[in-house]
Amino acid sequence: SQQGEEDPQALSIQEGENATMNCSYKTSINNLQWYRQNSGRGLVHLILIRSNEREKHSGRLRVTLDTSKKSSSLLITASRAADTASYFCVPIQGAQKLVFGQGTRLTINP
Amino acid sequence: EPEVTQTPSHQVTQMGQEVILRCVPISNHLYFYWYRQILGQKVEFLVSFYNNEISEKSEIFDDQFSVERPDGSNFTLKIRSTKLEDSAMYFCASSEDRASYNEQFFGPGTRLTVL
């Protein structure tokens, strides 16, 4: 299994702005999943995008996937204080387990 | 909405003692997992469980660890003789299908403190 590399490591923006986080990975995938973790608490699944999809939306979230570049991005629009968390991308090839990287620490300032 | 639950939320134990961490996965899920997160570090995979047996385990999951699904609802992680370095948050997760097809749902975690 491979882990995603999130970029940037930390991002701080004002409430109401959009937040974009990027992810790169190394080998081919079946799908790519994004998770959120609020400070030391459990992980929450945000969105799953399959390898044959290029873009997916869920509420204020927009995920893109470029398999030719082995990259994905997560856009959070109209950010809120509650979006403050760490965000992880998890590329899935065929395994059952999830492998987490360091994530992007997003801080939304009021 | 169905959720994964874990008990206790915080467990304090003495080094060398046995601990059992409990999880109730989502009822129609077939795959079960344990992960841990040492303070300030990445979330690490420990073990996956399917069809009443371990399907994959990491190097961390040595002979001191075991998992069990004693009945139709609970999924437990036992650490036989705890060490200081076992202090971490332990997360249980479950999914309907393999990660290739489905997301995993995580519980809120058990904070284990070994003194």
Side-chain angles (χ1 to χ4, degrees):
Chain A
S1 297
Q2 60 177 318
Q3 72 178 46
E5 299 290 336
E6 296 90 355
D7 176 68
Q9 290 186 357
L11 178 62
S12 182
I13 61 173
Q14 295 300 120
E15 195 167 15
E17 293 180 341
N18 296 341
T20 299
M21 289 159 270
N22 301 298
C23 167
S24 61
Y25 57 92
K26 291 186 167 53
T27 64
S28 63
I29 59 172
N30 294 112
N31 69 57
L32 186 140
Q33 303 179 24
W34 284 88
Y35 286 82
R36 182 187 75 218
Q37 184 181 34
N38 294 86
S39 187
R41 299 180 66 182
L43 292 114
V44 175
H45 175 263
L46 296 176
I47 200 162
L48 181 157
I49 186 164
R50 303 199 185 280
S51 60
N52 61 352
E53 297 176 308
R54 292 294 167 259
E55 188 169 312
K56 201 161 181 181
H57 297 254
S58 176
R60 293 184 296 114
L61 305 181
R62 172 178 168 255
V63 166
T64 64
L65 179 64
D66 187 335
T67 53
S68 66
K69 294 182 180 176
K70 294 185 173 58
S71 67
S72 175
S73 68
L74 171 66
L75 168 68
I76 303 174
T77 59
S79 62
R80 304 168 182 167
D83 296 328
T84 294
S86 290
Y87 292 81
F88 302 91
C89 72
V90 185
I92 305 293
Q93 190 171 27
Q96 298 176 22
K97 68 185 181 189
L98 304 179
V99 179
F100 292 90
Q102 294 288 357
T104 291
R105 292 187 308 280
L106 175 64
T107 302
I108 308 299
N109 302 304
Chain B
E1 186 173 328
E3 59 182 16
V4 177
T5 59
Q6 291 186 243
T7 54
S9 57
H10 190 188
Q11 173 94 42
V12 181
T13 190
Q14 295 290 326
M15 190 170 56
Q17 295 295 305
E18 174 183 286
V19 294
I20 297 176
L21 310 183
R22 291 183 166 79
C23 169
V24 179
I26 294 173
S27 61
N28 64 331
H29 285 186
L30 301 177
Y31 291 79
F32 313 109
Y33 314 85
W34 284 100
Y35 294 81
R36 79 171 186 190
Q37 185 176 33
I38 295 170
L39 186 64
Q41 297 187 23
K42 293 190 284 190
V43 176
E44 302 173 287
F45 167 78
L46 292 178
V47 65
S48 59
F49 192 84
Y50 169 70
N51 200 24
N52 281 321
E53 59 184 28
I54 290 173
S55 46
E56 188 173 358
K57 60 183 180 180
S58 70
E59 293 176 355
I60 304 167
F61 195 89
D62 60 21
D63 292 344
Q64 292 299 312
F65 291 88
S66 63
V67 289
E68 193 177 32
R69 189 155 161 82
D71 52 44
S73 59
N74 290 286
F75 180 51
T76 61
L77 174 68
K78 181 192 291 186
I79 309 175
R80 285 190 187 81
S81 178
T82 50
K83 308 183 187 76
L84 295 176
E85 54 264 37
D86 294 327
S87 293
M89 282 289 287
Y90 288 80
F91 296 106
C92 173
S94 69
S95 63
E96 285 185 20
D97 204 334
R98 298 164 60 90
S100 306
Y101 304 105
N102 274 121
E103 64 269 35
Q104 294 181 15
F105 292 81
F106 284 77
T110 292
R111 179 173 301 281
L112 176 65
T113 302
V114 182
L115 302 176

